[in-house]
Amino acid sequence: MSDDIRVLHYADKTSDKYWAIDTRPNAKGGHDVWYGRRGKPLVYRSSDKADWRRQYEAKLRKGYLKFKSLTIDRSTNMVVSKDDLESSIPNQFWFRISTQVPETQIASFLASALNTFTEQFRDEATTLASLPVFKSLLSGSHSGGAELSEGPLAILLLFALRRHLTEQGPSASLSFAPIEIVDDDNTLLTDSFDELAELYGTSKEFSDMRQSCPPADFRKYAIALGAIEAPIDLTVIESNTKAAFF
């Protein structure tokens, strides 16, 4: 069963890799192990080492993080979600924030985003503040996930946070991405909001969300959270300068 496989992830300036071990004994009395770069088939090894926990805890001491919702698809040696090995539809987006990003910067973003969002969407702001991913980030977590069941605000919050960390504050000077967001297939979430909006408006994984949050509202929420810049309304810009026509 997939619950028997423990998956760990490690990332820094030069590494982005998985390590996994099957806690069930193999034919040698040891344990099956997988390792390799994220997004690619992992290398498989049948180890004869009997103490899986010692190997597992050694990786944790090196800075690897646990991902309890992931497992290994033995047919492909790929890291996949436990929930549905056969489905290509993600049910969760995972985030990992560099440890060089201070918790105060994340908390400041959350406070500002919630305040701005409340000014425009008071009722929805209550939902935003109650999201598990919002609470996780507010508590200082640098890694975790946002399930699709949390709704579009969860995705937009992560998208907006990535934009903020990439463009502003101390993390903007980092030589590597301050935050990465991937789906269950370890595919990076697009950096383009237009692509995200198109995905939201057409893909079947978001069909339930579109019933309660049409694409037009999705864009409005994105603007309020800072995921994209607000469009400039030229009709409200006052000017004493006469227009020149050529």
Side-chain angles (χ1 to χ4, degrees), residues 72-92:
I72 301 295
D73 182 349
R74 286 180 173 272
S75 65
T76 62
N77 289 329
M78 292 289 292
V79 176
V80 296
S81 169
K82 286 182 180 179
D83 295 333
D84 191 355
L85 293 177
E86 302 301 323
S87 176
S88 62
I89 300 176
N91 57 24
Q92 192 162 9

Side-chain angles (χ1 to χ4, degrees), residues 2-3 5 17 21 33 37-38 47 57 69 111 118 137 144 146 150 158 160 184 190 193 199 201 212 233:
S2 61
D3 284 341
I5 297 178
K17 55 190 178 181
I21 189 167
V33 174
R37 291 190 61 80
R38 180 175 61 81
S47 170
E57 292 178 348
S69 296
T118 302
L137 289 166
E150 294 183 51
L158 290 178
D184 289 330
T190 177
F193 179 79
L199 185 69
S212 58
D233 186 352

Side-chain angles (χ1 to χ4, degrees), residues 45-59:
R45 291 285 183 268
S46 180
S47 170
D48 58 1
K49 295 180 180 179
D51 191 347
W52 71 266
R53 191 174 296 278
R54 176 177 294 182
Q55 300 176 66
Y56 181 77
E57 292 178 348
K59 292 295 182 181

Side-chain angles (χ1 to χ4, degrees), residues 61-112:
R61 288 194 295 271
K62 291 181 178 180
Y64 281 76
L65 298 178
K66 303 175 185 178
F67 279 87
K68 295 182 179 180
S69 296
L70 299 180
T71 188
I72 301 295
D73 182 349
R74 286 180 173 272
S75 65
T76 62
N77 289 329
M78 292 289 292
V79 176
V80 296
S81 169
K82 286 182 180 179
D83 295 333
D84 191 355
L85 293 177
E86 302 301 323
S87 176
S88 62
I89 300 176
N91 57 24
Q92 192 162 9
F93 284 96
W94 302 90
F95 68 87
R96 181 186 176 94
I97 304 172
S98 167
T99 54
Q100 294 189 37
V101 176
E103 293 181 12
T104 53
Q105 186 180 359
I106 300 172
S108 176
F109 162 79
L110 293 173
S112 177

Side-chain angles (χ1 to χ4, degrees), residues 181-203:
I181 307 170
V182 300
D183 63 17
D184 289 330
D185 293 326
N186 304 307
T187 301
L188 285 169
L189 182 65
T190 177
D191 291 329
S192 167
F193 179 79
D194 288 339
E195 291 182 7
L196 177 64
E198 181 179 359
L199 185 69
Y200 180 82
T202 60
S203 297

